[in-house]
Amino acid sequence: MKPILKVMFLAAEAEPFVKVGGLGDVAGSLPPALRKMSVDVRLMLPLHGVIRKQGLALHKVCNFHLPYENRAMPVEAYSFDLNGLPVYFIAGPLIPLDSTVYSLDDQADSLKYAFFSLAALRLAQELNWQIDILHANDWHTALSVYALESRVWRTPSFIETKTLLGVHNLPYLGSGAELAIKRFGLPAALTPDLPEWALDRPLALGLATADRIVAVSPTYAKEILTPQFGSGLDQFLSMKRQMISGILNGLDLDSWDPQTDQHLASRYGADTLDRRVENRISLQKKLGLPENPQAVLLGMVNRMDYQKGVDLLPGALQLLNLLPDDAIAPWQLVVLGTGDPLIEEEIRLLEMQYPDQARVITQFDPGISRMIYGGADLIVIPSRYEACGLTQMIAMRYGCIPLARATGGLSDTIRDEPDDAGNTGFLFDDPSSEALSAGLQRALLVFRDPIAWRRLQRNGMAQDFSWSRSAGQYLDLYRLMASKMNSGADGDVGDRPEQPPI
Ligand code: ADP
């Protein structure tokens, strides 16, 4: 029998405790899926103020101290049982009682996450838990990987630990961390390969020292090696390409299920798609849009961020409206998203410009997002880059057709081939309003053919986006890392047929 793998999973956010974006979905779904595969995986999270307020029945595990400048920084550790998954929460003075997951203060955030990353390592020691794999995610927890390079932290309990760093969003390297690195006494970076400017960026340091790197889709794993997507680290990452894999995120199929979703006026499956129209009408009513059955209802559920290409929408709609009335189906639009105030402002103008057609909701509202997935006809995702993306997978599961820019995980999950009966959506190449508009035109033409549209819906709903598939790939990677660890060989994905080197 194979020994049980011990995996410490570190993240800044995780469902059901707190979610800001896709990382929260992943950290909430992957550890439970691995647990089902008999991995001794434990999730570690900061005890953010927003979690503290939930009044969870936490158990105090221990108190200890971390060295911090010339002082000792107190740490409190708590545990919580999430349906059999052990979750540990770290608290201390650098995680303020009223804190959100991320703030606008880079330096405070980097102090908080350096504290959390190092406290998590120390907690494993306190628990006498000798982990096989340290799985950190994004810049927030990358310093845990980097710390294990130093003799101070690579104590006997971590001597056999292998490190894996998940990349969900490369451009966020963790600026403002110089002070945190200094105050926690982490050594200056030793690697000559990193560009000088990156030597105090946690994600860059983690990437330089991790045994393996996983990007959250196969295409993103390749894209980060290029100047366009590499955030200045493309050459450095190219040197490490043999250590980089791409594993697509999965979806929590229980949570995202149109047959059971309580937010839908009418629940449905692939064989009862006719019922979906009631959700559309209910959404139109809620938004005060005309209940026009001929109109295609476009939806967007997105962080309002430059990355997401939301700003391409107004220009695309303008171009669409230059077409003669009978050329395409008439459109309506609902946008749900929060983020950059300037982008929010620009998108809100659409309501004034198209009072009978467009609605913009600048809130974070999971209930409305579900009504959009379950009632809109098309979900628009014009991302400039997308490591994996969940929106398109959720939409497909709900029979809402994705129209997306062909990048990262969007390319890996949406099929759009010429004359292919297996297509699941529409892709366009350029991050421009013109290309988005051309994609919309294409989709709106197909919308007029109910049989073709239904086929797209059914194809999308038949896709397997389950976590069990992705978790199996992570398990293979963990096993490979652990076996290399035991045999003393270096890590190379070449002998793993299911995850070939990119
Ligand atoms: P990212 O992690 O870059 O934000 P993803 O597509 O991976 O993008 O995940 C976004 C997740 O957040 C999806 O579950 C989406 O439904 C959800 N989401 C985004 N914006 C909102 C919002 N304003 N209200 C509710 N849910 C949202």
Side-chain angles (χ1 to χ4, degrees), residues 19 21-22 25 303 308 336-337 363-365 373 389-391 394:
K19 167 178 139 178
D25 287 287
R303 279 186 294 114
K308 299 292 181 181
L336 174 69
Q363 293 165 14
F364 191 89
D365 191 323
Y373 293 126
L390 292 172
T391 316
I394 302 169

Side-chain angles (χ1 to χ4, degrees), residues 457-471:
Q457 289 179 300
R458 293 221 168 96
N459 287 347
M461 292 177 91
Q463 300 300 302
D464 176 11
F465 293 128
S466 68
W467 259 113
S468 46
R469 197 188 48 153
S470 312

